[in-house]
Amino acid sequence: MTRRTALALPVGMPIAEWSRLGRQIFIISDSSAWWLGDWLIYGQAQYPDRYKRAVAETSLDYQTLRNYAWVARQFSVPRRRDKLSFQHHAEVASLPEAEQESWLNKAERFKWSRNELRRRIKAGRTVGQSAVEVTHIQMSVIAPQKELWQEAAKTHEQDLLTWIISILDNAARSTLDVKDGYPQLNGGSAPGPVREIAQADSKH
């Protein structure tokens, strides 16, 4: 029997039944992230102040809800893998679509956990960056600037760092009139070490 705050199990439940029940509970929990993401995307198109309403309805914080919606937006329903968790998809959501498919294929084929997938991606990124010079940039801004930028980032369903990088990339391309053959930027997202530093700095 289930209640809002408890699950009552019968005495002597066979282990196979207990295992099956655990799998069902996980599927419901994992599916709820997709459901909330799709719910928020629908709200964006239909209603104003969707996140303010969503926070009130779910008691989840803004960042959690934004992440659900952002991941759901990166994967159309046909591209979502039933055999992989929402968190598997979240690990690759910031990558170009071809790379998303490649990593998800490997995770599904080799039955990687979310943590194993994350480790493999990080290892691949480290190898890919070994021949590339990475510059760490720190920035100090006044509070009103940060608040203004955060509001702008929200309108694009992006975190602050991703939005800043995309704006700078677009400005650079426009200024330089970038042509084919110019070194490709990383799809508007920073490499791992830069991303981590910039996210940490953005909290201050």
Side-chain angles (χ1 to χ4, degrees), residues 21 55 58 67 73 108 130 156 166 177 199:
L21 181 60
V55 169
T58 65
N67 288 343
R73 195 182 298 279
E108 193 168 6
S130 60
H156 290 274
S166 67
D177 190 22
Q199 285 179 330

Side-chain angles (χ1 to χ4, degrees), residues 103-186:
W103 284 113
L104 292 179
N105 285 338
K106 292 176 183 177
E108 193 168 6
R109 177 182 177 186
F110 298 110
K111 296 180 171 54
W112 290 343
S113 66
R114 185 279 305 271
N115 288 342
E116 179 64 13
L117 174 60
R118 175 183 293 178
R119 188 184 72 79
R120 299 273 183 163
I121 294 173
K122 184 177 181 181
R125 183 181 294 130
T126 300
V127 171
Q129 291 175 357
S130 60
V132 178
E133 180 181 356
V134 177
T135 301
H136 294 177
I137 300 176
Q138 294 182 326
M139 181 187 306
S140 297
V141 298
I142 61 177
Q145 278 182 310
K146 179 182 176 182
E147 292 173 2
L148 180 64
W149 295 355
Q150 285 177 324
E151 287 301 313
K154 288 179 185 179
T155 65
H156 290 274
E157 301 290 338
Q158 294 178 331
D159 59 67
L160 180 57
L161 174 64
T162 302
W163 179 82
I164 290 174
I165 292 175
S166 67
I167 292 298
L168 292 175
D169 282 352
N170 290 337
R173 290 189 180 98
S174 176
T175 300
L176 299 175
D177 190 22
V178 174
K179 304 295 185 182
D180 291 341
Y182 193 86
Q184 292 296 307
L185 300 175
N186 190 24

Side-chain angles (χ1 to χ4, degrees), residues 44-106:
Q44 178 185 20
Q46 299 294 325
Y47 314 113
D49 302 324
R50 66 192 182 287
Y51 283 114
K52 181 178 180 180
R53 293 170 181 263
V55 169
E57 292 294 338
T58 65
S59 297
L60 296 172
D61 60 43
Y62 164 79
Q63 187 63 36
T64 298
L65 292 170
R66 190 204 66 79
N67 288 343
Y68 287 160
W70 182 73
V71 173
R73 195 182 298 279
Q74 307 313 305
F75 297 93
S76 61
V77 173
R79 294 185 59 230
R80 300 175 186 179
R81 311 296 182 94
D82 289 342
K83 294 181 180 180
L84 298 176
S85 71
F86 180 87
Q87 294 303 324
H88 281 89
H89 292 77
E91 289 296 329
V92 303
S94 63
L95 301 176
E97 185 173 320
E99 292 185 38
Q100 291 175 355
E101 293 298 309
S102 176
W103 284 113
L104 292 179
N105 285 338
K106 292 176 183 177

Side-chain angles (χ1 to χ4, degrees), residues 1-3 5-9 21 25:
M1 296 180 61
T2 58
R3 298 180 180 178
T5 58
L7 172 67
L9 302 177
L21 181 60
I25 294 171

